[in-house]
Amino acid sequence: MTLSRLAELTADPTASFVLIARDRADTVELLTGEVADVDLLADIPLAIDGTPREVFALVPYRQVRERGFVAQDDGAPLRCLIVDEHGEIETPALVDALPSAPVPLHDDGFDIADEEYAAIVEKVIAEEIGRGEGANFVIRRDFTASIDVDDRTAALTWFRALLTHERGAYWTFAVFTPGHIAVGASPEAHVVARGGVVTMNPISGTFRHPAGGATRETLTDFLSSTKETEELFMVVDEELKMMSAVCSDGGRITGPHLKEMSRLTHTEYMLRGRSALDPRDILRETMFAPTVTGSPMQNACAVIRRHERKPRGYYSGVAALFTPNAEGGHDVDAPILIRTVYLQDGTLSVPVGATLVRHSDPLGEVSETHGKAAGVLGAIGAIDRDRVAEARSDADAPGETRALADDPVIAELLSSRNARLAEFWLNPQGEDFTGPFAGRTALVVDAEDRFTTMLAHQLRHLGLGVTIAPWSEVADADVDAADLVVAGPGPGDPRDTASPRIARMRDIVARRLDAGAPLLAVCLSHQILADRLGIALTPLDSPHQGLQKSVPVFGENASIGFYNTFTARVVPGTERVAGVEVSADSGSGDVYALRGAHFASVQGHLESILSRDGIRTLERLVAHAVA
């Protein structure tokens, strides 16, 4: 496909086309075709009249409602470009042909004032994280401005700037469709499925390069940060939940790696597993990345709905390219829609978000959004480099080459992180589930935390035949019929009996206890079980979100990951309550595990990547419950 064809397309204001520069490619792909808007991911037309078709899709955030999650509905279309032509243009030739005159911005600023955004941050930390609604949440605001040139010229100008100055992006892209123009450089592949192998790429931790660029010393300080490390682990846990839902082998972690870009460096892992699902189903089950929403995912959507001032449009959604493969199906390549500029009728919008955790500083998060917006605007040349530096985004010389990941000190710092992680998720697991409990069944009740998918995978690894059922759909007959019921984790206050979800989980736990039927209770359900046994529940002084601890579990110390805001607590030194064995902290009395006749429970998440002794402890507790 030639430059003349691109010239024809850009001259036609009604033409729809997409430009994509993929990581490490020396050409830019040009896709043309007709646009079709559909309602659901399942409606994406991968075949027309029986003929497989390549399709590019813009998937808005509101599609998360397909998973039963809440979202403000702005009507942003699930837009598909049904590809007729797919060609390539040499990057240098394209750069020479694209417009380069600066595009000035007018009336620019954030849609939410700094002090208002800081107040939202404070409210989310106090009312959401502080009440146990989740580990972290991403709340966004938009930088907006007006321009004097037409939208298409601006987008092509900024695409040229990204091709020239940005590096390390997974996709650099420009999308031109009626009423929706977008240009960006996404660092992150959300999900890729090729040849039956599914890959996800969780990225967390952002190091903004100081003036003069990153050095071993400055990057060492960043990589040594406990906060940055734990945030990355939390993101990996959240994406492994998705992997365990779509991959028969649960997913395996490799990394960590550095994602080095021109102005920023991130830390990342790669997750891989095998799946036979339709790529549209894979995309549905992985909507959307916790790096731009939060965790647990379902509650993160509810928190976003409560605290964001307006719908998200395409921010935190994905761009997805479905390509026919040799097996008669389709592969999918889907980066996250972040670091993206949206243009409509002479108005520019750059959505940016800050990840809020228990230790977040409201003013620091305000600064974070300024830095992210300035990073995008500086990369497209819409603001000068001095202004970028003032926003702490700052800056290497364009095109500078670094290889800090190859530095022995940096490589050792990165690899040392895995010493904290569970070998179960670092090693190939296979699909031969002939463990010690083969022949038995387990019903895992999901209390709105999809850690249950990882837990179910581990239970299958131990030989159990597992079914997962949402708390709102599980019938009493199913609760009674299972050889083992696993009452799962979830967000919220275990004492809140007005919550239908909490009330139902309390009923399930009580039903199994009263029947003397095997029960394993995890995290929230562990707290509910403790309350049923007369053990006091209390909020922690500081939430344990993504915290790794070595704790006593019935005669063995176990390294376990914790995600809890509430705890059951006994008098320190208590070993039994009402005939039930108690494993608790010798100082605080916080209860880590319980066991009695046909039941066991654990406060931590044995399925988490932070639980180095997770699979061993899970086997011990299941063995007790079913004995």
Side-chain angles (χ1 to χ4, degrees):
M1 194 173 289
T2 64
L3 285 171
S4 60
R5 176 60 174 141
L6 178 61
E8 292 173 8
L9 294 166
T10 56
D12 180 358
T14 67
S16 296
F17 62 98
V18 178
L19 293 163
I20 303 171
R22 302 200 215 197
D23 188 20
R24 289 185 283 274
D26 55 8
T27 59
V28 175
E29 298 167 67
L30 172 59
L31 286 64
T32 68
E34 296 297 318
V35 166
D37 294 340
V38 298
D39 293 328
L40 303 172
L41 290 169
D43 299 332
I44 294 174
L46 299 187
I48 297 177
D49 296 330
T51 301
R53 298 296 299 271
E54 185 172 39
V55 178
F56 172 88
L58 282 177
V59 183
Y61 172 75
R62 73 187 188 103
Q63 294 303 131
V64 79
R65 297 179 304 164
E66 290 194 45
R67 292 185 63 185
F69 303 165
V70 298
Q72 296 186 63
D73 187 4
D74 54 358
L78 173 47
R79 175 145 293 182
C80 300
L81 180 82
I82 304 168
V83 179
D84 291 326
E85 297 179 276
H86 186 156
E88 295 184 353
I89 302 172
E90 294 292 330
T91 302
L94 179 60
V95 167
D96 289 342
L98 292 175
S100 60
V103 178
L105 305 185
H106 309 286
D107 304 318
D108 54 307
F110 281 99
D111 60 339
I112 299 173
D114 286 355
E115 58 273 16
E116 290 182 78
Y117 187 76
I120 293 171
V121 171
E122 288 181 336
K123 190 172 184 180
V124 170
I125 294 169
E127 297 184 6
E128 305 293 358
I129 297 174
R131 288 204 317 250
E133 297 300 324
N136 56 82
F137 302 112
V138 179
I139 302 298
R140 77 123 190 8
R141 64 200 295 223
D142 294 350
F143 183 92
T144 63
S146 59
I147 56 174
D148 293 331
V149 304
D150 70 273
D151 294 347
R152 291 192 170 217
T153 298
L156 290 169
T157 301
W158 294 338
F159 183 66
R160 180 188 186 278
L162 291 172
L163 291 177
T164 304
H165 299 297
E166 189 56 273
R167 66 184 184 82
Y170 180 69
W171 269 26
T172 302
F173 60 91
V175 180
F176 300 84
T177 67
H180 291 276
I181 295 176
V183 57
S186 176
E188 190 167 349
H190 176 51
V191 65
V192 177
R194 290 194 182 103
V197 176
V198 176
T199 304
M200 297 185 74
N201 177 208
I203 294 177
S204 186
T206 300
F207 173 60
R208 292 180 218 300
H209 301 162
T215 65
R216 173 199 282 184
E217 291 71 26
T218 56
L219 191 56
T220 294
D221 289 342
F222 166 72
L223 293 176
S224 300
S225 166
T226 299
K227 177 180 179 291
E228 296 289 354
T229 301
E230 290 183 349
E231 285 185 17
L232 178 59
F233 289 162
M234 283 192 279
V235 169
V236 174
D237 258 340
E238 195 66 22
E239 294 207 2
L240 266 177
K241 297 176 187 180
M242 299 175 181
M243 290 289 287
S244 294
V246 301
C247 295
S248 57
D249 57 354
R252 179 193 176 195
I253 304 169
T254 59
H257 310 288
L258 286 184
K259 168 73 74 172
E260 298 182 74
M261 303 184 72
S262 60
R263 295 165 177 83
L264 308 167
T265 292
H266 304 284
T267 47
E268 65 180 1
Y269 277 92
M270 300 300 293
L271 314 181
R272 289 185 176 87
R274 299 200 64 83
S275 179
L277 293 179
D278 183 294
R280 293 167 295 191
D281 294 332
I282 292 172
L283 195 54
R284 182 185 306 104
E285 290 302 311
T286 59
M287 294 191 299
F288 284 111
T291 49
V292 282
T293 52
S295 63
M297 181 67 197
Q298 184 165 351
N299 239 34
C301 292
V303 169
I304 289 167
R305 178 68 180 84
R306 286 195 288 269
H307 295 280
E308 288 192 352
R309 300 286 177 82
K310 62 184 181 183
R312 284 193 162 200
Y314 292 100
Y315 172 71
S316 72
V318 297
L321 182 61
F322 297 87
T323 303
N325 58 34
E327 290 72 41
H330 282 74
D331 297 332
V332 64
D333 187 359
I336 300 174
L337 287 170
I338 54 174
R339 307 236 173 104
T340 300
V341 179
Y342 299 93
L343 285 160
Q344 188 169 19
D345 300 328
T347 299
L348 161 155
S349 176
V350 181
V352 292
T355 301
L356 312 184
V357 297
R358 66 185 187 275
H359 297 310
S360 285
D361 168 39
L363 294 181
E365 302 301 351
V366 168
S367 181
E368 177 85 1
T369 59
H370 276 275
K372 286 182 175 178
V376 174
L377 296 168
I380 64 174
I383 59 176
D384 62 44
R385 296 184 65 78
D386 290 339
R387 185 169 172 188
V388 175
E390 285 174 9
R392 296 173 38 205
S393 164
D394 135 339
D396 307 334
E400 179 188 357
T401 300
R402 304 187 314 279
L404 287 174
D406 297 329
D407 183 289
V409 173
I410 299 300
E412 174 59 27
L413 270 175
L414 281 170
S415 64
S416 67
R417 291 184 171 190
N418 287 352
R420 296 182 57 189
L421 303 185
E423 289 187 5
F424 182 85
W425 298 108
L426 292 169
N427 297 324
Q429 301 151 30
E431 300 179 46
D432 181 18
F433 303 133
T434 55
F437 308 113
R440 298 176 187 261
T441 63
L443 171 66
V444 178
V445 182
D446 188 335
E448 296 186 7
D449 187 338
R450 304 231 8 224
F451 260 129
T452 49
T453 61
M454 294 169 68
L455 188 56
H457 178 68
Q458 287 190 322
L459 291 167
R460 292 186 184 105
H461 192 79
L462 294 175
L464 289 151
V466 182
T467 300
I468 301 175
W471 67 270
S472 57
E473 299 177 15
V474 64
D476 286 345
D478 295 326
V479 173
D480 296 340
D483 294 335
L484 172 70
V485 166
V486 179
D493 187 338
R495 306 165 299 181
D496 182 12
T497 55
S499 162
R501 177 171 54 86
I502 300 295
R504 180 56 176 155
M505 296 306 294
R506 292 171 73 94
D507 178 61
I508 289 167
V509 167
R511 190 176 186 90
R512 293 294 287 194
L513 280 181
D514 292 345
L519 169 71
L520 175 64
V522 178
C523 197
L524 173 73
S525 296
H526 157 85
Q527 297 161 8
I528 288 171
L529 172 65
D531 183 65
R532 171 83 177 183
L533 297 171
I535 300 173
L537 301 178
T538 186
L540 292 163
D541 293 335
S542 178
H544 293 166
Q545 299 292 352
L547 182 66
Q548 185 180 57
K549 298 179 68 174
S550 180
V551 302
V553 181
F554 307 118
E556 291 186 11
N557 282 334
S559 179
I560 295 173
F562 287 80
Y563 287 84
N564 62 302
T565 300
F566 295 86
T567 186
R569 185 169 288 165
V570 296
V571 175
T574 300
E575 295 182 354
R576 299 187 75 85
V577 173
V580 174
E581 290 183 82
V582 177
S583 277
D585 188 275
S586 59
S588 66
D590 290 353
V591 178
Y592 299 129
L594 297 165
R595 68 181 182 186
H598 305 297
F599 69 84
S601 70
V602 63
Q603 176 60 77
H605 286 260
L606 304 180
E607 67 282 6
S608 167
I609 63 168
L610 292 171
S611 293
R612 289 184 296 171
D613 300 312
I615 192 71
R616 159 69 181 159
T617 306
L618 180 63
E619 182 176 348
R620 290 178 63 214
L621 295 181
V622 170
H624 175 85
V626 302

